Amino acid sequence: MDVRVVFSDLDGTLLATDKTLSPRTRRALVELGEQGIEFVPCSGRALTGIPEELLSLDACHYAVCSNGAKILRVEDGETLHEVLLGACRARQLWERVRTLDVTFDIFADGKIWSSRPAFERMDSFGIDAYTLKAVKGFRTVTDETCDEILDRLERDGGKVERVTLFWHTEEDRDAVIAAIGEDPTLAWTTSVPHDIEVLDCGCSKGAALRWLCGHLGIPIEDSLAFGDGLNDAPLLAAAGLGVAMENAELETKAAADIVCPSNDEDGVAQTLEHLLEKR
């Protein structure tokens, strides 16, 4: 295939388990730029969570954030396309889940707003140490309640991209899913243990890939995508060639065309090296 654009998830895919970018993977990404191939980080993270060492690559001109809720141009941060959850639907969902033992983090305007009491409980959700450090590091902590955060965003015209809820018990998880199901315009996915990520039903990494390929005039069959989580399954299904990591979820592997070595074995780099050698 004639690869012209590469989309890649970050956590569990491009990055090692300790959240670092290996020298081998960095070299492969530099080679993409030298060969005129676009590289697009495609993450559930907000823009502030995407490492600068990726955004500064010569191959990186665009970023897909919040599971496809926003597509941005890296050079100036301009939003090219967005499929927002919005403050109104976020508030309605909050009203349906507020009595449950869950957190409610709000992704808006490239940040993740977390009320302090919820943030201080993050250690209790059984998240591995590396992921926990990243999750906590990306959040903007405030003494505002969820109601007050949503009030401020509505008042100031803030654009709510999505929300993430962390849960302790399966009963609370099922109750959250049921609450999401009360609004047919919502969808959910997951990428971290004990989290549920809520977004507009038309929003996914796969939809973002299709939109950006169209925007750039690149045939979808010339796109390559890597992923590991359930939120990556639509991305791999949409790509010209979808590549699941060996450490990927079974559903994500089923959506892929091929499986490559794990993230800790530089699976992305190995695959890119093979393709670039063919070019």
Side-chain angles (χ1 to χ4, degrees):
M1 66 181 294
D2 181 21
V3 179
R4 295 176 59 189
V5 59
V6 175
F7 293 78
S8 182
D9 172 56
L10 303 185
D11 301 294
T13 301
L14 190 74
L15 304 179
T17 297
D18 64 2
K19 308 300 179 183
T20 60
L21 183 71
S22 76
R24 183 178 183 179
T25 299
R26 178 175 174 77
R27 286 195 298 271
L29 298 179
V30 169
E31 180 69 14
L32 289 181
E34 292 173 352
Q35 296 209 20
I37 300 171
E38 291 284 345
F39 167 70
V40 183
C42 193
S43 178
R45 300 185 185 193
L47 180 62
T48 50
I50 298 181
E52 180 60 30
E53 64 180 329
L54 295 179
L55 297 177
S56 62
L57 290 166
D58 289 343
C60 185
H61 300 102
Y62 307 92
V64 174
C65 303
S66 294
N67 285 332
K70 281 208 172 191
I71 302 175
L72 303 108
R73 186 166 55 214
V74 169
E75 179 183 14
D76 54 10
E78 181 180 347
T79 298
L80 301 179
H81 181 69
E82 58 188 14
V83 182
L84 302 175
L85 174 64
C88 180
R89 284 186 293 173
R91 184 184 296 279
Q92 291 169 350
L93 178 61
W94 170 237
E95 292 296 336
R96 298 197 294 273
V97 303
R98 65 188 307 152
T99 60
L100 303 175
D101 183 22
V102 297
T103 65
F104 199 84
D105 293 333
I106 302 164
F107 290 57
D109 303 320
K111 294 183 177 181
I112 309 171
W113 296 98
S114 181
S115 63
R116 190 171 303 279
F119 180 82
E120 291 176 348
R121 299 176 60 214
M122 291 302 302
D123 294 10
S124 68
F125 291 102
I127 307 170
D128 70 88
Y130 292 118
T131 300
L132 178 64
K133 181 179 179 180
V135 166
K136 294 176 74 171
F138 300 150
R139 275 150 175 75
T140 299
V141 185
T142 174
D143 290 322
E144 298 169 300
T145 65
C146 284
D147 292 296
E148 290 169 339
I149 295 171
L150 290 166
D151 286 342
R152 170 171 53 81
L153 291 171
E154 286 185 305
R155 182 179 64 250
D156 298 343
K159 294 184 175 182
V160 177
E161 299 159 17
R162 68 176 181 91
V163 299
T164 288
L165 302 91
F166 282 91
W167 50 271
H168 280 111
T169 68
E170 292 183 359
E171 289 79 9
D172 281 334
R173 177 201 61 193
D174 294 344
V176 168
I177 293 172
I180 297 167
E182 291 184 32
D183 184 344
T185 71
L186 301 181
W188 69 273
T189 186
T190 182
S191 62
V192 175
H194 283 245
D195 93 329
I196 293 178
E197 303 166 16
V198 187
L199 51 157
D200 182 272
C201 65
C203 177
S204 72
K205 291 185 179 183
L209 178 149
R210 290 189 291 270
W211 187 91
L212 187 55
C213 282
H215 178 75
L216 298 177
I218 296 176
I220 288 178
E221 55 265 30
D222 293 342
S223 66
L224 170 63
F226 296 90
D228 74 299
L230 291 177
N231 61 335
D232 298 319
L235 175 69
L236 304 191
L241 181 66
V243 184
M245 313 306 292
E246 179 55 44
N247 52 287
E249 299 286 345
L250 291 177
E251 181 178 325
T252 307
K253 288 182 177 178
D257 298 295
I258 61 173
V259 175
C260 73
S262 73
N263 62 319
D264 286 326
E265 298 173 291
D266 289 324
V268 171
Q270 290 191 49
T271 305
L272 291 178
E273 288 165 359
H274 180 67
L275 290 171
L276 292 172
E277 184 178 319
K278 284 187 174 182
R279 287 171 61 93

